Amino acid sequence: MMMVLGLLLLLLALFGAPLFAVIGASAIFSFYMAEIDLSVMAIEFYRLAEMPALVALPLFTFAGYLLGESQAPRRLVLLTDALLGWMPAGLAIVSLAACAFFTAFTGASGVTIIALGALLYPALKQAGYPENFNLGLITTSGSLGILFAPSLPLILYGIVAQQLNLEQKITIDDMFIAGILPGLLMIVLLSSWSLWVNRAVRKPLAHFSMAHVLTAVKASAWELPMPFIVLGGIYSGFFAVSEAAAVTVLYVFVVEVLIYKEISLKAVPGVMRDSMILVGAILIILGVSLASTNYLIDAEIPATLFATIKEYISSKLTFLILLNIFLLILGAMLDIFSALVLMIPLLLPVALGYGIDPVHLGIIFLANMQLGYFTPPVGMNLFIASHRFNKPVMQLYIATLPFFFILLFAVLIITYWPDLSLVLLGR
Amino acid sequence: MPGETDNVARRLLKTLARIEDGMLVLLLTVMICLAVAQIFLRNFFQYGITDGDNLLRILVLWVGLFGAIVASRERKNISIDVLSAYLNVQARAIAGVVVDLFVVLVASILAYHSGRLVVDEYVAGTLALTNVPSWLVQSVLPFAFGMIALRYLISSVMHSRALSTGSRQ
């Protein structure tokens, strides 16, 4: 009976049923079979209103959408170019740095490819980089940066993990610190690859020009303090994450709407609405999965799962290898937010059983999901890039392949070298 | 005349959509103002708005649910949907109707049981904020799930209409 229903739900999901309904249906059915009053569904869903950190989600999302609508991407590229453009493969490295920064602040919803890709793709082409390299670079960069604060997936992982009442406490701030070195590793590896691939492109190097830097700094004078205020505030402990989110919204609104006037006041409600559609789509899944998680824990399913896996896999190393493979497949099928709220309640207790730090697991999970953004056949960013640059998806599969293997290498380092994630936390 | 009722229905839905959008914008605006005010008051005047943090958390729930209503209206709920691309037009419409009715069923169950919760809270008379009863705060749950069910019900009608006109051709 359970099996048949599970298959039926899977089929419905594959034919496009919204995931909240699929997760909701499985929770409803499980509680019904366990003869638990179904008002538990509403009670659990209502817990969305009891999570202080969750306030950050709508606020950061809105701020990210505002930034994407303004000319901030253009100024960001100008500034990064003035600072890094003189290096060999300079523009490629500029693209990586700018995209990572932008994605961290806008939350990896595909907006990076649309906002920054439109600027960088023609520029890269003009600088003489090969087409497939450019396509691969931009598509890959669309999810680069989710390991940096204040990205939404990092926040959501912290929130979901806190719901599980683990013995080892974990905060969102921990996640923000843990992501720094793994995120940098990815950028360094991709930059090295860009250098190597384009070693034949012998362009005379541009000179580093202080005058250029000053012009670029002046152009983005109002935006420059923002990352320092937000990141400085979070890392120094001055702001809670939700407060940092509120400050970011205020700052972005004042700068882009009132000072630069690049978004008219009339256009703001539309941006609000669009951004809150994404928030609603994420929160309704989070809400129903609170109920299904409650059932899982009640029925001791994570513990049973761990006992079963433990029978076949005794070593932590083998578990990690299988985890990587599993997450790669998962990332290609599910978007990062649904994957987080669905799988973390199951995976985290099992991983703890193997002695994996919950913070480390979060970084492994997100790094894997980052790959999923452009893993064929269904990686979301492949389609966004295909649509944006008018190229067949097949070409994007091929163009992203080398980048995929480089980031896969990074994911493996991140997975088997826990200290990379944990050393800054002193755990 | 069916055309007449169609027109009225369409106009009603349009108004409804405008109200939903308006609520979404209003809720987010209140949330931003409250969150910013809290920070200023706390840091410069060592003063906190009574219930401010609780109200913010409740606003998250409301914004999320109104966002979900609009997402349902615009078919922007997160889904996987890899198989329907391989279907022909007619089979796709059938799959559409089945999926829609499935969502109607789930959302209705959620609406019904959250409605029961609201009634229980009303009888119990618990407070969510100093002057605001819990049932009022929670009433967004049955409302939102009801609206989502309605949207997918409408969508199922559209899909089955597409099916009947498709088979006539």
Side-chain angles (χ1 to χ4, degrees):
Chain A
M1 180 70 184
M2 274 306 211
M3 275 299 266
V4 176
L5 191 91
L7 280 175
L8 198 69
L9 286 177
L10 182 67
L11 209 61
L12 278 164
L14 292 178
F15 275 112
L19 287 174
F20 87 83
V22 174
I23 302 167
S26 85
I28 289 170
F29 186 75
S30 308
F31 281 124
Y32 181 76
M33 292 309 276
E35 295 180 10
I36 295 169
D37 189 329
L38 286 180
S39 62
V40 67
M41 293 295 303
I43 295 169
E44 288 296 318
F45 197 101
Y46 187 66
R47 276 177 46 217
L48 281 185
E50 289 160 7
M51 304 179 185
L54 211 53
V55 181
L57 194 79
L59 295 178
F60 271 130
T61 309
F62 174 53
Y65 268 68
L66 268 185
L67 277 176
E69 288 289 315
S70 73
Q71 296 291 320
R74 186 176 297 274
R75 285 186 289 272
L76 176 63
V77 171
L78 262 174
L79 182 66
T80 331
D81 189 40
L83 290 172
L84 303 175
W86 52 272
M87 297 200 286
L91 195 60
I93 294 167
V94 165
S95 310
L96 290 167
C99 287
F101 182 82
F102 196 71
T103 303
F105 269 84
T106 56
S109 49
V111 72
T112 304
I113 292 177
I114 294 171
L116 281 176
L119 301 170
L120 291 169
Y121 181 64
L124 284 162
K125 194 171 170 183
Q126 204 179 14
Y129 294 92
E131 177 176 90
N132 269 4
F133 173 81
N134 302 342
L135 285 173
L137 183 79
I138 303 274
T139 312
T140 311
S141 305
S143 57
L144 195 63
I146 61 171
L147 291 179
F148 294 128
S151 91
L152 297 182
L154 279 175
I155 296 175
L156 200 60
Y157 178 81
I159 290 173
V160 173
Q162 281 170 356
Q163 294 310 307
L164 299 174
N165 290 323
L166 305 171
E167 276 176 39
Q168 262 173 299
K169 286 290 162 242
I170 159 171
T171 66
I172 295 171
D173 294 33
D174 290 343
M175 295 306 297
F176 283 176
I177 292 168
I180 296 175
L181 292 180
L184 285 177
L185 172 74
M186 288 183 166
I187 295 186
V188 168
L189 286 181
L190 287 173
S191 300
S192 315
W193 162 253
S194 304
L195 267 170
W196 171 251
V197 159
N198 297 298
R199 63 197 182 282
V201 185
R202 289 232 174 269
K203 250 189 51 153
L205 293 185
H207 285 287
F208 177 79
S209 141
M210 207 54 213
H212 265 154
V213 174
L214 281 179
T215 323
V217 165
K218 215 183 257 173
S220 42
W222 284 103
E223 281 148 342
L224 270 179
M226 184 185 75
F228 294 99
I229 295 173
V230 174
L231 297 179
I234 291 175
Y235 284 128
S236 69
F238 187 77
F239 289 138
V241 177
S242 55
E243 291 179 318
V247 171
T248 308
V249 167
L250 178 70
Y251 197 100
V252 170
F253 180 82
V254 169
V255 169
E256 310 301 343
V257 179
L258 301 183
I259 296 177
Y260 286 128
K261 295 197 171 77
E262 285 163 355
I263 304 165
S264 72
L265 262 178
K266 257 195 204 147
V268 171
V271 181
M272 283 182 153
R273 182 180 160 283
D274 290 348
S275 60
M276 288 310 107
I277 288 178
L278 177 67
V279 170
I282 296 173
L283 284 186
I284 194 170
I285 291 181
L286 181 59
V288 287
S289 71
L290 285 175
S292 71
T293 302
N294 174 300
Y295 174 79
L296 289 180
I297 294 172
D298 250 24
E300 298 187 339
I301 287 172
T304 319
L305 186 66
F306 175 59
T308 315
I309 297 177
K310 191 84 186 176
E311 260 179 50
Y312 298 97
I313 305 161
S314 52
S315 86
K316 181 173 165 180
L317 195 69
T318 324
F319 172 75
L320 283 174
I321 293 171
L322 290 175
L323 180 70
N324 275 142
I325 297 171
F326 172 71
L327 289 179
L328 272 179
I329 300 170
L330 185 74
M333 300 291 293
L334 273 182
D335 73 284
I336 194 163
F337 301 111
S338 318
L340 262 172
V341 296
L342 260 183
M343 293 313 301
I344 290 303
L346 277 174
L347 275 179
L348 192 47
V350 175
L352 286 179
Y354 281 97
I356 296 164
D357 191 289
V359 173
H360 184 213
L361 180 80
I363 301 297
I364 296 175
F365 189 91
L366 295 182
N368 258 294
M369 287 296 127
Q370 180 183 336
L371 273 182
Y373 270 96
F374 57 96
T375 308
V378 285
M380 175 179 83
N381 281 0
L382 290 168
F383 294 97
I384 294 177
S386 152
H387 184 74
R388 185 70 192 76
F389 303 118
N390 233 341
K391 301 283 174 201
V393 178
M394 212 51 210
Q395 186 180 355
L396 284 157
Y397 289 171
I398 296 164
T400 47
L401 211 56
F403 296 90
F404 176 81
F405 282 110
I406 290 162
L407 283 187
L408 183 62
F409 181 57
V411 167
L412 294 179
I413 294 178
I414 290 166
T415 307
Y416 301 107
W417 187 19
D419 279 350
L420 185 68
S421 310
L422 302 176
V423 70
L424 291 181
L425 284 167
R427 284 171 89 123
Chain B
M1 258 205 302
E4 195 76 12
T5 40
D6 255 27
N7 254 338
V8 174
R10 208 162 289 150
R11 231 179 303 149
L12 263 175
L13 285 177
K14 221 176 185 176
T15 318
L16 197 60
R18 220 175 280 158
I19 295 173
E20 291 164 357
D21 287 355
M23 275 299 284
L24 198 49
V25 171
L26 180 74
L27 287 167
L28 180 62
T29 309
V30 172
M31 182 196 275
I32 293 169
C33 294
L34 181 62
V36 169
Q38 285 271 70
I39 295 171
F40 270 92
L41 292 174
R42 193 172 298 150
N43 287 307
F44 296 110
F45 303 96
Q46 275 85 44
Y47 172 82
I49 300 168
T50 320
D51 280 339
D53 284 338
N54 289 332
L55 184 54
L56 268 180
R57 275 182 258 165
I58 289 167
L59 281 168
V60 172
L61 176 76
W62 280 63
V63 162
L65 281 170
F66 270 89
I69 292 173
V70 180
S72 299
R73 192 178 84 215
E74 303 198 345
R75 315 299 324 240
K76 282 185 181 155
N77 272 310
I78 296 175
S79 59
I80 306 177
D81 197 11
V82 283
L83 292 187
S84 50
Y86 299 102
L87 300 175
N88 64 28
V89 180
Q90 196 163 6
R92 203 182 301 171
I94 294 174
V97 174
V98 173
V99 162
D100 287 341
L101 291 178
F102 165 69
V103 182
V104 172
L105 176 69
V106 174
S108 308
I109 294 174
L110 291 174
Y112 171 72
H113 287 286
S114 38
R116 279 179 51 218
L117 179 70
V118 172
V119 173
D120 286 351
E121 291 284 349
Y122 183 79
V123 173
T126 42
L127 291 178
L129 303 172
T130 317
N131 289 315
V132 183
S134 294
W135 70 265
L136 193 65
V137 170
Q138 291 173 347
S139 62
V140 71
L141 287 166
F143 173 76
F145 288 124
M147 291 308 291
I148 291 170
L150 175 70
R151 287 296 167 185
Y152 279 89
L153 190 64
I154 294 170
S155 167
S156 74
V157 173
M158 299 292 187
H159 272 126
S160 43
R161 271 193 193 172
L163 199 62
S164 60
T165 51
S167 56
R168 234 178 281 145
Q169 276 164 2

